[in-house]
Amino acid sequence: MSDAPTAAVYGAGKLSVDAPRKPLSLPRLAEMRARGEKITMLTAYDATFASVMDAAGVDCILVGDSLGMVCQGLPSTVHVNLETMRYHVECVFRGLQRTSGTAWLIGDLPFGTYHESKEQALRNASVLMQAGAHMVKLEGGGWTTDVVRFLVERGIPVCAHLGLTPQTVHSLGGYRVQGKGEEAAATLRQHALALQDAGAQMLVLEMVPHELATRLTTELSTCHTIGIGAGNGCAGQVLVLHDMLGINLGRMPKFVHNFLADTDGDVKQAFAAYVGAVKSGAFPDNAKHAW
Ligand code: KIV
């Protein structure tokens, strides 16, 4: 039985937004983690959503390559290119600048832009950093460890991404839960520890069993786990903007909650409700949103 509040509670009452805060940074994220405060992250792709999210108290904004599916109508993230990512990072950056935004901004390196060599990864990560990102994200474990080390040594903060890695959906055979069974869990753990060792400061864990994600979170002291379909034991949570507003055209994944439905269609309140639910530990509910 889950003892988390019901969904309706997520948006109950007017939530305080626009509270002044210092800009988010790696030391501030580490402080939050040390005092047990959950890190909140949402994806955004344009200036307006980014600044509204920031005002609602979202800690980190990810310009995810999910934009290929939700903005460009592509069948998967495999089709997204670097120029598109650069453009959207710049849009989000401008939105935050215009409204004195304080969120930590992460840009996704798309498929094929860090696979060839460490030098290629540096060149392309620099494009996103110069567009305004504070950190880049890249998918996969094992072979990515050297790439991560190379970038971190050169002053580029890195968020890794393990579990269901959408850029390799064709190799994985679909959007399925990863890390199930002893062998798969051991490989995932090995990759996660190596990524932390290489200097990755964050790690998105997508669609992995919640017990595994919780164990990894305990083991990774300097690399903050950010779950999406990985249960409530992670250091933080991320959702795709369109999913959490309930405007996903396809089937809504099990790990999503429609926060807009809880807040009478008030988008800023929906973001604040998400922040409140993640910080309080009410979302996600392992019994409902995890495996
Ligand atoms: O591209 C994206 O939006 C992502 C999130 C699902 C974490 O990688």
Side-chain angles (χ1 to χ4, degrees):
M1 269 289 280
S2 155
D3 54 6
T6 58
V9 174
Y10 291 153
K14 274 274 174 199
L15 295 145
S16 70
V17 293
D18 298 306
R21 63 173 181 182
K22 283 195 252 164
L24 271 294
S25 61
L26 288 176
R28 283 207 62 213
L29 291 166
E31 279 164 27
M32 285 169 60
R33 171 98 186 267
R35 61 171 180 263
E37 180 179 344
K38 298 275 184 186
I39 298 167
T40 56
M41 186 187 295
L42 286 174
T43 68
Y45 317 100
D46 69 28
T48 305
F49 272 115
S51 62
V52 174
M53 262 176 210
D54 187 88
V58 175
D59 298 314
C60 305
I61 295 180
L62 168 66
V63 184
D65 61 357
S66 49
L67 65 80
M69 293 160 94
V70 298
C71 300
Q72 295 182 292
L74 294 167
S76 78
T77 61
V78 175
H79 306 260
V80 177
N81 64 36
L82 185 68
E83 175 47 26
T84 303
M85 291 308 303
R86 188 203 61 74
Y87 171 77
H88 285 276
V89 168
E90 211 169 75
C91 293
V92 167
F93 173 69
R94 278 200 294 262
L96 295 177
Q97 289 289 105
R98 213 171 54 191
T99 53
S100 306
T102 51
W104 181 251
L105 175 53
I106 304 159
D108 230 349
L109 279 168
F111 181 72
T113 63
Y114 52 96
H115 302 64
E116 223 173 271
S117 65
K118 294 180 285 191
E119 290 76 13
Q120 182 211 22
L122 175 62
R123 202 165 44 250
N124 293 330
S126 303
V127 170
L128 299 188
M129 297 297 283
Q130 289 179 336
H134 300 126
M135 171 180 248
V136 298
K137 180 165 85 58
L138 52 82
E139 296 184 5
W143 68 273
T144 57
T145 304
D146 287 344
V147 177
V148 170
R149 182 172 289 108
F150 193 75
L151 296 180
V152 171
E153 280 174 356
R154 282 153 185 78
I156 300 182
V158 177
C159 175
H161 185 155
L162 293 176
L164 188 277
T165 45
Q167 290 176 9
T168 45
V169 62
H170 300 304
S171 309
L172 297 175
Y175 297 94
R176 317 157 177 246
V177 182
Q178 302 295 311
K180 284 208 295 195
E182 254 177 58
E183 202 179 318
T187 305
L188 207 144
R189 175 176 177 270
Q190 191 193 334
H191 287 168
L193 292 176
L195 286 162
Q196 170 174 265
D197 197 48
Q201 296 96 338
M202 268 191 206
L203 169 63
V204 168
L205 289 173
E206 182 163 353
M207 289 178 72
V208 305
H210 66 86
E211 282 174 9
L212 174 61
T214 301
R215 241 184 300 137
L216 287 176
T217 303
T218 309
E219 282 192 272
L220 300 172
S221 56
T222 59
C223 180
H224 317 311
T225 56
I226 307 293
I228 174 163
N232 62 18
C234 295
Q237 298 292 328
V238 60
L239 282 179
V240 168
L241 165 67
H242 295 61
D243 287 348
M244 64 85 70
L245 294 180
I247 48 175
N248 182 321
L249 295 178
R251 198 165 54 90
M252 203 59 91
K254 163 183 166 145
F255 53 80
V256 170
H257 178 77
N258 178 349
F259 285 88
L260 192 63
D262 292 344
T263 56
D264 288 336
D266 182 324
V267 171
K268 195 170 183 180
Q269 285 288 313
F271 295 152
Y274 169 73
V275 170
V278 171
K279 299 259 183 208
S280 71
F283 178 83
D285 175 356
N286 284 351
K288 251 195 293 192
H289 305 116
W291 288 271

